[in-house]
Amino acid sequence: MVQQRLLDIAVDAFGRHGLEGASTREIAAAAGTAMSSITYHYGGKEGLYLAAADYIAQQMGETMSPAFAVEVADGDPVAAREAIHRVLGALLDKMLDQQVRNWSLFIVREQMHPTAAFARLFDGPMGQMLRRLVRFVCTGAGIDDSEAARIATMTLFGQVLVVRSARASVLRVLDVEAIDAALAERIRARIRINTNAILDALTAEAKESR
């Protein structure tokens, strides 16, 4: 399908070169179609860029939705903590998947220099995931929604993202050429320990302030 090929190639091109640097002529040629296809389907380069953001958001939603399958009742910290581990574990799996490299490049560009495409990304699965994580953190730590809860949520989120966004540094620090299954499990275990420690600290802080 022409649109599928265009979007796959566009995500890669925009991720590597950005909106300004990517060539629609090269994107069309790589997709085996004419430049007029981009104009017809997306209205031009900017439209294709926004469509690429929508495409990433759709794929993120499809791959992450199983992690949100379990509902957590307010006042159930055990279930909330397991939900957090589930979400972070699913996110780690995606960060270790080489297929998300192109998504990551695109998303990191939007994080550094947001355009209209950022809203397409954040208002989709990314924002939904973060908002649910905030709720899970509050329930898991037995606290109200607050700045502290949101900062903690971003800290939890960041410890997983670093595996992809700072991949070269991670490999250098770990002194490995790649992250194999055994190392991935050790990273997963450490993230779980860190997560519980952060939640325990939030709970303790809340008790001290009462």
Side-chain angles (χ1 to χ4, degrees):
M1 184 178 178
V2 172
Q3 286 179 270
Q4 179 77 50
R5 292 199 305 273
L6 278 172
L7 289 172
D8 284 332
I9 293 164
V11 168
D12 176 60
F14 288 132
R16 287 186 290 112
H17 305 296
L19 175 59
E20 298 301 324
S23 165
T24 50
R25 185 180 302 279
E26 292 178 1
I27 292 172
T33 188
M35 282 188 62
S36 58
S37 292
I38 293 177
T39 303
Y40 176 77
H41 291 294
Y42 307 107
K45 189 176 186 180
E46 289 75 13
L48 178 60
Y49 188 79
L50 293 175
D54 289 337
Y55 182 57
I56 292 171
Q58 177 189 359
Q59 290 183 306
M60 287 175 61
E62 291 173 355
T63 57
M64 291 298 297
S65 59
F68 293 112
V70 177
E71 288 296 329
V72 175
D74 291 339
D76 189 346
V78 174
R81 289 196 181 208
E82 283 308 310
I84 293 169
H85 294 314
R86 177 194 292 264
V87 172
L88 295 181
L91 184 61
L92 178 63
D93 288 339
K94 297 313 298 179
M95 293 301 98
L96 293 172
D97 187 347
Q98 284 296 327
Q99 291 184 338
V100 306
R101 173 183 174 276
N102 294 340
W103 301 3
S104 300
L105 291 173
F106 190 107
I107 293 170
V108 167
R109 282 184 177 275
E110 281 297 318
Q111 293 282 359
M112 299 297 292
H113 302 287
T115 69
F118 180 73
R120 308 288 186 104
L121 295 169
F122 190 83
D123 292 343
M126 185 187 302
Q128 294 171 20
M129 176 171 58
L130 289 172
R131 283 188 287 271
R132 293 202 73 178
L133 272 177
V134 169
R135 184 165 68 83
F136 293 158
V137 165
C138 291
T139 301
I143 62 175
D144 295 329
D145 190 352
S146 62
E147 180 183 84
R150 291 168 183 260
I151 291 174
T153 299
M154 296 312 302
T155 302
L156 297 176
F157 191 57
Q159 69 179 334
V160 180
L161 290 189
V162 70
V163 175
R164 171 58 58 183
S165 62
R167 187 174 183 81
S169 294
V170 168
L171 295 178
R172 286 289 186 93
V173 169
L174 294 175
D175 196 23
V176 296
E177 294 184 0
I179 298 175
D180 61 19
L183 178 54
E185 285 308 307
R186 292 194 293 275
I187 293 172
R188 189 186 310 277
R190 174 50 57 186
I191 289 173
R192 189 179 183 93
I193 292 169
N194 292 349
T195 298
N196 284 329
I198 289 171
L199 294 173
D200 288 343
L202 283 174
T203 301
E205 290 166 8
K207 289 180 178 178
E208 289 177 2
S209 65
R210 288 170 187 161

